[in-house]
């Protein structure tokens, strides 16, 4: 049960991290993040089907899923160009545009892959099981948790230790001042939004062997991703990790004890967080 919760948290972190990164730098609450997650899931199914037809062994499915998620994440580039039209407008325009994109992507998914949910069992079974603390668990889950930790560490080091990371953080702190120092903020925004999309599409690609891809998964994911943001704090990467773990474990316990209260239990924690700590565990209070 606990491993299942951590596995879900690992996938949820990827999407929430993309959401946090985009808001932290571009100040946009991206409601379309769930669409990128669903897009990654559907594209991963197609990619694994192609890999199977080419005769690739089952152990190669995980790299194929990762590459499929990264490749389809490039859809973030044209989407970011569209978002430029509302960067300096009221937040309501940004919310409406990203929500409209979520609906558009839902129709795109229906057009290319149909309305019937799709599964990818062969990738999940290809890795077998492993014994952890005397319990047999799916090896695939362990690999996805390890991949999410590696991505989180790489992203943290990139933002803290590289010149590009420092430029991104400077742009997030003060866009006008960084532009005055010669930073091309449009390029920074395009790169940040694309990376945010890739985190979401990789999350969708990694989850699909363990969960069916469906048109509803985008909206369901948005609910959980924003629960993570509220609990962890808007714009905080540490908050994304903590929030994802809390939501993932609460969801796992609810499924085990009272499945009917799975979503309700998450809402209750969100309400509690809003009452006790409105800025989230690692968020900055707004004056």
């Amino acid at each position: 049960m606990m491993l299942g919760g951590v596995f879900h948290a690992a996938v949820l972190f990827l999407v929430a991290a993309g959401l946090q990164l985009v808001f932290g730098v571009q100040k946009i609450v991206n409601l379309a993040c769930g669409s990128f997650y669903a897009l990654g899931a559907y594209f991963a199914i197609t990619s694994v089907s192609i890999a199977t037809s080419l005769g690739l062994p089952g152990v190669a499915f995980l790299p194929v899923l990762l590459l499929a998620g990264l490749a389809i994440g490039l859809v973030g580039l044209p989407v970011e160009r569209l978002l430029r039209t509302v960067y300096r407008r009221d937040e309501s325009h940004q919310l409406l545009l990203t929500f409209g994109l979520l609906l558009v992507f839902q129709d795109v998914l229906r057009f290319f892959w149909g309305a019937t949910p799709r599964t990818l069992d062969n990738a999940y079974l290809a890795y077998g099981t492993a014994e952890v603390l005397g319990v047999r668990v799916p090896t695939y889950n362990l690999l996805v948790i390890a991949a999410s930790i590696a991505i989180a560490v790489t992203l943290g080091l990139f933002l803290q230790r590289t010149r590009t990371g420092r430029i991104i953080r400077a742009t997030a702190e003060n866009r006008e001042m960084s532009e005055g120092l010669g930073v091309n903020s449009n390029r920074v925004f395009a790169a940040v939004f694309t990376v945010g999309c890739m985190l979401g599409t990789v999350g969708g690609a990694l989850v699909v062997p363990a969960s069916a891809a469906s048109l509803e998964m985008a909206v369901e994911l948005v609910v959980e991703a924003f629960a993570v943001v509220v609990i962890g704090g808007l714009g905080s990467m540490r908050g994304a990790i903590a929030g994802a773990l809390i939501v993932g474990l609460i969801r796992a316990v609810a499924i085990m004890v009272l499945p009917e209260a799975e979503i309700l239990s998450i809402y209750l924690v969100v309400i509690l967080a809003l009452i006790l700590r409105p800025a989230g565990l690692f968020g900055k209070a707004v004056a």
Side-chain angles (χ1 to χ4, degrees):
M1 180 188 73
M2 297 302 291
L3 180 67
V6 175
F7 170 74
H8 187 71
V11 174
L12 193 54
F13 161 74
L14 294 175
V15 182
L19 187 63
Q20 299 280 49
L21 185 64
V22 170
F23 178 82
V25 178
Q26 298 170 255
K27 311 306 177 192
I28 283 186
V29 179
N30 182 19
L31 292 178
C33 64
S35 299
F36 301 128
Y37 173 75
L39 189 60
Y42 277 99
F43 189 72
I45 290 175
T46 300
S47 300
V48 170
S49 298
I50 295 173
T52 303
S53 66
L54 294 175
L56 289 182
V59 292
F61 287 160
L62 184 59
V64 170
L65 291 169
L66 284 168
L67 290 174
L70 290 172
I72 197 64
L74 292 175
V75 74
L77 277 172
V79 173
E80 192 277 336
R81 292 300 297 266
L82 180 62
L83 287 175
R84 288 183 189 181
T85 58
V86 296
Y87 278 154
R88 297 185 186 279
R89 296 188 185 182
D90 186 79
E91 287 84 355
S92 60
H93 290 86
Q94 301 170 5
L95 291 173
L96 286 172
L97 179 56
T98 54
F99 183 69
L101 286 171
L102 186 147
L103 299 177
V104 168
F105 272 112
Q106 197 167 39
D107 280 346
V108 170
L109 294 174
R110 183 183 290 109
F111 178 81
F112 284 103
W113 286 278
T116 304
R118 299 198 175 198
T119 57
L120 194 63
D121 298 332
N122 55 345
Y124 197 69
L125 299 174
Y127 292 91
T129 59
E131 187 171 319
V132 178
L133 301 175
V135 179
R136 303 295 299 181
V137 297
T139 305
Y140 181 80
N141 287 13
L142 299 176
L143 293 173
V144 170
I145 292 169
S148 292
I149 292 173
I151 291 172
V153 171
T154 303
L155 184 61
L157 291 175
F158 171 74
L159 291 174
Q160 296 295 328
R161 302 291 178 83
T162 66
R163 181 175 180 272
T164 304
R166 286 192 287 272
I167 290 174
I168 290 174
R169 287 190 287 121
T171 306
E173 289 292 328
N174 193 320
R175 177 181 176 180
E176 286 72 21
M177 182 175 290
S178 61
E179 286 177 339
L181 294 173
V183 173
N184 187 328
S185 61
N186 285 334
R187 288 184 180 177
V188 173
F189 282 9
V192 166
F193 193 82
T194 304
V195 171
C197 286
M198 285 180 172
L199 288 169
T201 51
V202 167
L206 291 179
V207 81
V208 76
S211 177
S214 67
L215 296 178
E216 295 76 25
M217 68 187 298
V219 177
E220 292 170 0
L221 193 279
V222 167
V223 173
E224 293 191 359
F226 276 91
V228 170
V229 168
V230 171
I231 294 170
L234 193 55
S236 167
M237 281 296 166
R238 288 186 299 167
I241 296 173
L245 272 174
I246 291 171
V247 171
L249 293 177
I250 287 175
R251 179 177 175 272
V253 171
I255 291 174
M256 186 76 177
V257 178
L258 188 62
E260 296 81 2
E262 175 192 346
I263 301 298
L264 175 64
S265 61
I266 297 173
Y267 283 142
L268 290 176
V269 176
V270 169
I271 293 171
L272 195 63
L274 287 172
I275 294 173
L276 299 178
R277 198 172 177 85
L281 294 175
F282 297 98
K284 296 178 181 178
V286 179

